[in-house]
Amino acid sequence: NWIINIHKIFGILGIIQGVLASLSIVGVVTGIPMIIASMKLMDTSKILFNYKITREESNLKMFFDEYKKYWVILLVLIIIGFVVFAGTIAALLGTFSGGHTGYEY
């Protein structure tokens, strides 16, 4: 029960986070995949609940398939976030260290 409830809670929080991120144009890049990943996480809670009731092995296999999709999407989001963060830091360091800013005459 605890895992089922935690997946629901984190699914809802992830959807809220994805919607808030999608309010900006730049945030859409990470917001929409976050919403999709969170929906996958909520699906896993439903599948795990069905497994708890029926004890059918097919439900358990579906659970792990959907759970894998959630983690793959999350991994892609982490990589995108790292690349954006590293790019931002590199641009700021270049600007503050006397690099080309585009505003020189």
Side-chain angles (χ1 to χ4, degrees):
N1 281 340
W2 188 80
I3 293 176
I4 293 169
N5 291 330
I6 289 297
H7 282 200
K8 285 180 188 176
I9 291 168
F10 277 97
I12 291 168
L13 291 175
I15 290 171
I16 292 170
Q17 180 183 357
V19 168
L20 291 176
S22 296
L23 293 176
S24 71
I25 294 171
V26 176
V28 169
V29 174
T30 58
I32 292 175
M34 185 60 158
I35 293 170
I36 294 168
S38 298
M39 291 173 68
K40 293 284 179 199
L41 191 61
M42 289 184 66
D43 288 344
T44 63
S45 70
K46 294 173 190 171
I47 295 167
L48 198 56
F49 181 76
N50 288 340
Y51 173 74
K52 181 183 161 189
I53 292 172
T54 63
R55 299 286 184 202
E56 290 181 15
E57 192 173 312
S58 62
N59 283 332
L60 196 57
K61 185 180 180 325
M62 273 194 330
F63 167 77
F64 283 111
D65 287 343
E66 291 299 309
Y67 203 50
K68 178 184 173 186
K69 291 175 188 175
Y70 164 76
W71 282 108
V72 167
I73 294 170
L74 211 58
L75 178 63
V76 169
L77 278 173
I78 290 170
I79 292 169
I80 289 171
F82 179 76
V83 168
V84 169
F85 177 74
T88 303
I89 295 298
L92 288 174
L93 288 176
T95 300
F96 291 132
S97 66
H100 180 69
T101 60
Y103 296 110
E104 298 166 0
Y105 296 98

